[in-house]
């Protein structure tokens, strides 16, 4: 008997489901490769499992099984006669070096450990507080953002924002709202020594890391403060405010955007970077990253906001809602662009638009 259309579709979908599970497991393997230094060891050239284990200082049996997974996944090439494994050139480009995507895998493996707690939130409501994700989240977020900040802020984002470079060169007072470990401010402080950068975050462990990095680089113009940005206005005025991926998971995002507006000088510039998405689900159907964004949101961004009784905008709250929020808070000349430093990000540039008294 031939299968009905529905049965054929279900069989094909079973393959897709297996593909989701396969991807999740390969993500764990990539995370292990990143943590143990196996990708860097493999970058030195073809090796047997024993040679690779020696290079990385690891146990051969585990390395062999890991290699088998990543070879059958198309990440390594295997020469059976010599039993050597070679990291394929495309994998070398994507999983090693300064632009490696391997550190991103840790966000998946970290958030997977919260499934039990989030299941409880589905049933009982409420959320999981930011503190419950730390200290690991602090480092994961840093690993996620750091390379983009290094590679794309000074030569990418700054020239893409009208007047920003001139202001930073002349000397501006700049706030980085929800700065995490503050690497964006550190990179900018190094490039624009006449400007003062102050990173604010509610997380003490993240702020300690920002202070330590600024001290190790001898950057007197990068300061970091533990502060709830719901009270940012009192720390102003600022000539420029940045927020990198830090508005959507606030308890009161509208309140924070109003505070940013209040904290800005009359001709001040606000650069908001958020995940590149549209606000309506139906407009994200063709976005291949959307399922991942909504999943990260379910496992982190929504619960951290709901833990404080917040608005829970979600990671993919999208351009339209972001622009509305900016407009309602008094911002003008609002422009959206792809974020030059972040392939998954959008950059919304706006001006304080206040009368100069
Ligand atoms: C997704 S992380 C982004 C961190 C950093 N900007 C980056 O791009 O790597 C969001 C940050 O916002 C911070 N945050 C959340 N609510 C805050 C609040 N009310 N005041 C200050 N920081 C807050 C969190 O602690 C976290 O470090």
């Amino acid at each position: 008997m031939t299968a009905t259309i529905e049965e054929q579709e279900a069989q094909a979908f079973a393959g897709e489901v297996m593909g989701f599970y396969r991807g999740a497991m390969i993500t764990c393997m990539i995370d292990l490769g990143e943590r143990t230094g196996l990708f860097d060891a493999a970058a030195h050239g073809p090796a047997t499992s024993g040679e690779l284990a020696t290079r990385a200082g690891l146990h051969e049996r585990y390395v062999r099984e890991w290699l088998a997974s990543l070879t059958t996944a198309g990440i390594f090439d295997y020469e059976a006669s010599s039993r050597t494994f070679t990291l394929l050139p495309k994998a070398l480009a994507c999983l090693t070096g300064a632009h490696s995507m391997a550190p991103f895998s840790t966000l998946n493996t970290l958030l997977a450990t919260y499934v039990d707690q989030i299941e409880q939130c589905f049933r009982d409501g409420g959320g999981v507080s930011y503190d419950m994700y730390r200290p690991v989240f602090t480092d994961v977020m840093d690993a996620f953002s750091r390379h983009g900040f290094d590679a794309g802020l000074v030569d990418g984002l700054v020239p893409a924002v009208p007047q920003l470079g001139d202001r930073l060169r002349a000397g501006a007072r700049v706030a980085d709202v929800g700065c995490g470990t503050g690497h964006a401010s550190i990179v900018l402080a190094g490039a624009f020594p006449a400007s003062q950068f102050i990173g604010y975050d509610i997380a003490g462990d993240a702020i300690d890391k920002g202070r330590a990095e600024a001290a190790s680089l001898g950057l007197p113009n990068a300061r970091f403060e533990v502060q709830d940005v719901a009270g940012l206005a009192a720390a102003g005025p600022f000539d420029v405010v940045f927020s990198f991926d830090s508005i959507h998971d606030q308890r009161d995002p509208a309140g924070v955007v109003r505070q940013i507006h209040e904290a800005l000088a009359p001709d001040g510039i606000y650069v908001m970077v958020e995940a590149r998405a549209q606000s309506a689900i139906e407009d994200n159907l063709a976005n291949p990253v959307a399922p991942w964004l909504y999943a990260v949101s379910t496992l982190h961004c929504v619960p951290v906001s709901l833990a404080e009784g917040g608005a829970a905008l979600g990671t993919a709250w999208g351009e339209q809602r972001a622009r509305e929020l900016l407009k309602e808070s008094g911002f003008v000349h609002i422009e959206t662009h792809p974020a030059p430093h972040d392939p998954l990000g959008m950059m919304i540039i706006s001006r304080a638009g206040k009368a100069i008294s």
Side-chain angles (χ1 to χ4, degrees):
M1 229 173 72
T2 50
T4 64
I5 301 281
E6 287 79 9
E7 284 165 348
Q8 288 173 28
E9 280 178 0
Q11 275 168 17
F13 183 63
E16 265 185 66
V17 172
M18 201 54 224
F20 302 151
Y21 299 161
R22 175 185 186 272
M25 283 299 173
I26 293 166
T27 304
C28 297
M29 296 299 105
I30 292 176
D31 188 8
L32 275 169
E34 171 67 13
R35 290 173 195 232
T36 56
L38 273 167
F39 288 122
D40 291 337
H44 291 292
T48 63
S49 56
E51 287 163 352
L52 196 59
T54 305
R55 265 187 217 164
L58 300 168
H59 286 274
E60 187 277 338
R61 183 65 191 93
Y62 283 100
V63 173
R64 192 177 356 133
E65 210 66 6
W66 178 83
L67 282 166
S69 172
L70 293 191
T71 299
T72 50
I75 292 177
F76 279 85
D77 189 31
Y78 181 54
E79 172 61 57
S81 59
S82 58
R83 299 195 171 181
T84 53
F85 297 86
T86 306
L87 190 59
L88 288 168
K90 62 183 181 186
L92 196 69
C94 291
L95 299 175
T96 65
H99 303 295
S100 173
M101 295 169 75
F104 304 171
S105 61
T106 314
L107 186 60
N108 282 37
T109 55
L110 171 70
L111 295 187
T113 66
Y114 289 84
V115 167
D116 286 349
Q117 288 180 62
I118 305 299
E119 177 200 348
Q120 220 43 56
C121 296
F122 271 69
R123 297 184 190 287
D124 303 341
V128 179
S129 75
Y130 237 116
D131 284 348
M132 299 286 285
Y133 290 86
R134 298 191 189 281
V136 183
F137 179 81
T138 302
D139 291 334
V140 169
M141 201 58 229
D142 179 276
F144 213 85
S145 320
R146 174 169 288 265
H147 297 308
F149 291 150
D150 282 333
L153 281 190
V154 174
D155 296 329
L157 184 146
V158 171
V161 179
Q163 299 162 14
L164 180 59
D166 289 342
R167 294 212 194 165
L168 294 180
R169 274 183 288 276
R173 191 162 185 266
V174 183
D176 180 358
V177 167
C179 65
T181 57
H183 193 62
S185 289
I186 284 172
V187 169
L188 292 170
F192 300 101
S195 288
Q196 296 293 323
F197 295 84
I198 313 171
Y200 298 102
D201 203 287
I202 206 151
D205 66 327
I207 290 298
D208 286 347
K209 291 193 172 193
R211 286 178 179 157
E213 191 177 8
S216 73
L217 295 172
L219 288 173
N221 60 331
R223 282 202 293 120
F224 296 97
E225 303 289 345
V226 176
Q227 185 176 318
D228 185 341
V229 294
L232 184 77
F238 298 103
D239 304 299
V240 179
V241 174
F242 292 106
S243 63
F244 295 102
D245 201 22
S246 65
I247 296 301
H248 65 272
D249 56 13
Q250 293 291 322
R251 184 184 59 77
D252 178 15
V256 170
V257 173
R258 280 197 300 274
Q259 287 278 313
I260 291 171
H261 186 259
E262 213 179 313
L264 274 168
D267 57 348
I269 302 172
Y270 175 32
V271 181
M272 176 199 284
V273 175
E274 289 285 323
R276 198 186 312 168
Q278 306 304 306
S279 298
I281 296 172
E282 60 271 28
D283 296 330
N284 288 323
L285 294 177
N287 177 352
V289 182
W292 182 84
L293 290 174
Y294 287 120
V296 170
S297 195
T298 307
L299 293 170
H300 175 75
C301 305
V302 164
V304 296
S305 184
L306 288 182
E308 295 187 74
L313 285 177
T315 315
W317 63 308
E319 177 184 353
Q320 296 73 15
R321 289 184 79 186
R323 292 179 70 112
E324 267 167 36
L325 211 64
L326 288 162
K327 219 166 140 189
E328 284 162 13
S329 304
F331 284 98
V332 295
H333 304 306
I334 303 168
E335 301 169 30
T336 311
H337 303 273
H341 67 292
D342 175 0
L344 306 184
M346 64 179 174
M347 166 174 82
I348 308 188
I349 307 166
S350 56
R351 310 273 155 172
K354 301 173 187 171
I356 299 173
S357 52

